[in-house]
Amino acid sequence: MTDKTPLWQAIADTLRAEITSGHYPPGDRLPSEAALATRFGVNRHTVRHAVAQLADAGLVHARRGAGVFVTARPTDYALGRRVRFSQNLAAAGRTGSHRFTRLETRPCDAVEAQMLDLSPGDPVHVVEGLSLADGQPLALFRSVLPGWLAGFCDHARDHQSITAALAACGVADYTRASTRITAKLANATQAVALRIPQGAPVLRSVAVNLDDGGRPVEYGRTWFAGDRVSLVLAD
Amino acid sequence: MTDKTPLWQAIADTLRAEITSGHYPPGDRLPSEAALATRFGVNRHTVRHAVAQLADAGLVHARRGAGVFVTARPTDYALGRRVRFSQNLAAAGRTGSHRFTRLETRPCDAVEAQMLDLSPGDPVHVVEGLSLADGQPLALFRSVLPGWLAGFCDHARDHQSITAALAACGVADYTRASTRITAKLANATQAVALRIPQGAPVLRSVAVNLDDGGRPVEYGRTWFAGDRVSLVLAD
DNA sequence: CTATATTTGTCCGTATGTATC
DNA sequence: TGATACATACGGACAAATATA
């Protein structure tokens, strides 16, 4: 080898190409380090160096005693002024679906009142649910909507869609005023719902949507499974 | 008790009010569970239930053996077309500073080549460093810049600023083409540098900046301490 | 560095009121 | 009415992490 690039990097590039080309699909196990070492004709440590780079890049993840697995490609989820769940997943080539787990009207607390421009104790509609992509849990969400949207819960139950229910309440269009993103660790409840191990990272997004008159119509919080989604801000 | 609201919720509300009113400032320790139990005249488990709700809301966080602490408000970090670190922190009322930990020119790998529109092996400048807010580590970053920016490393060393070094290389302005955000767990290296426990959540942001001619001039990755920052997308 | 006390985390219980089938 | 499940509240014991002398 007269080439200046290190052996381990060449091996890493080869593996990366094989993974991205689909030779090793997401969830698949790579050949053992020993097998890769014989294949490339190098020492196992050289393979380890290459695999470590891929793992650091998040492309694969090793499980002691089990092997090295190709990380499932995270679903791209676009954030912007107009965020619509199903459209987003369609763009990412996935079939998305909701499942509402709670639907109720109750008095709001202080935080909800401030975000929705209400007085504490005013009625609000609350929708909780789970977002699925290709049948796999992608995110938990809790949306709070002002009580003056008459009959929202019934519409939501009928249409199984927040956008459709808002339309039925006379809110034809809405845009996102602000989004705030933080990283948290999954608590027990979230871990069970999202089918991720407890302590796995979750992306928490807090957003407020306004109708075309500038009135707040939705205060939504979403918890994404951190390793199944990547939020994309496209300008 | 003829009241229908649970005891633990009333206690949680009381504590929440005392925290938000500033009675317990951020970073402060709450009285021990035993002390709170005697104060409210309830069992320790009831206090624990109340505190757990506050912790779940992110208002406080408990450290075994140490106590329950009021969570410091995370620094707001605005994301948009024009992202400048120091400006962001100034807007949040913090004093920001960089510290470059590595500065070198080397051949690029396959991913860097693709992101920067180069051929694999072309030279790139690499800047690694730590971002601090009020002296506290906020984020780790690794920026990769194309090699045709002559003398970038020297300029960066002189100015201790990526924006200034780019200006010295003739790139007067640059805008962010795309940003991609995922949640990860801190590995040992990141944990030490950011002074967070290993396994704490980190926000990974991957972005590409373009000059006014649309050429990629920076491929930057940033790892934010998940509980010290909240990324804000303002439209 | 070694106790020792403090504090939270987790587990075992018991009992009661309420909602549901 | 009975059976069952669940949330609430209390009591105790010990483990694990931390602070302190």
Side-chain angles (χ1 to χ4, degrees), chain A residues 4-96:
Chain A
K4 62 187 184 233
T5 65
L7 255 182
W8 63 266
Q9 201 167 73
I11 294 174
D13 288 342
T14 304
L15 290 175
R16 197 199 322 275
E18 291 181 347
I19 289 170
T20 55
S21 74
H23 190 285
Y24 297 118
D28 224 33
R29 216 202 73 182
L30 292 191
S32 71
E33 290 174 351
L36 289 174
T38 58
R39 171 185 160 192
F40 291 108
V42 299
N43 191 280
R44 176 167 162 248
H45 294 303
T46 311
V47 169
R48 280 185 66 76
H49 196 162
V51 171
Q53 200 198 34
L54 299 183
D56 193 57
L59 211 66
V60 301
H61 56 102
R63 278 175 46 208
R64 189 199 308 212
V68 177
F69 296 83
V70 178
T71 306
R73 184 178 59 85
T75 304
D76 279 2
Y77 195 91
L79 294 181
R81 288 189 63 80
R82 299 174 54 84
V83 180
R84 302 292 184 273
F85 177 73
S86 302
Q87 282 179 20
N88 262 338
L89 292 188
R94 315 276 177 125
T95 53

Side-chain angles (χ1 to χ4, degrees), chain A residues 60-213:
Chain A
V60 301
H61 56 102
R63 278 175 46 208
R64 189 199 308 212
V68 177
F69 296 83
V70 178
T71 306
R73 184 178 59 85
T75 304
D76 279 2
Y77 195 91
L79 294 181
R81 288 189 63 80
R82 299 174 54 84
V83 180
R84 302 292 184 273
F85 177 73
S86 302
Q87 282 179 20
N88 262 338
L89 292 188
R94 315 276 177 125
T95 53
S97 65
H98 291 292
R99 210 180 65 209
F100 292 161
T101 55
R102 189 150 69 160
L103 209 49
E104 62 170 4
T105 303
R106 58 155 173 78
C108 70
D109 66 24
V111 177
E112 292 161 355
Q114 199 201 332
M115 302 301 276
L116 290 174
D117 203 9
L118 301 173
S119 303
D122 283 355
V124 287
H125 310 296
V126 178
V127 191
E128 277 183 32
L130 192 63
S131 298
L132 307 158
D134 290 346
Q136 197 182 39
L138 196 73
L140 280 166
F141 61 87
R142 169 153 58 221
S143 277
V144 182
L145 304 99
W148 50 261
L149 292 167
F152 175 84
C153 281
D154 296 330
H155 291 307
R157 204 185 337 267
D158 292 345
H159 296 97
Q160 287 289 314
S161 155
I162 291 178
T163 304
L166 276 172
C169 288
V171 180
D173 193 22
Y174 59 94
T175 56
R176 185 162 285 210
S178 72
T179 308
R180 182 178 298 268
I181 299 167
T182 51
K184 299 264 181 192
L185 297 182
N187 64 28
T189 313
Q190 297 162 348
V192 170
L194 291 172
R195 294 176 175 279
I196 54 179
Q198 192 168 352
V202 293
L203 278 168
R204 190 183 71 149
S205 148
V206 181
V208 174
N209 277 297
L210 311 176
D211 68 4
D212 44 21

Side-chain angles (χ1 to χ4, degrees), chain A residues 76 179-181 187 231 233, chain B residues 56 76 179-181 231 233:
Chain A
D76 279 2
T179 308
R180 182 178 298 268
I181 299 167
N187 64 28
L231 306 182
L233 327 179
Chain B
D56 194 56
D76 280 1
T179 307
R180 182 178 298 270
I181 300 166
L231 305 182
L233 327 180

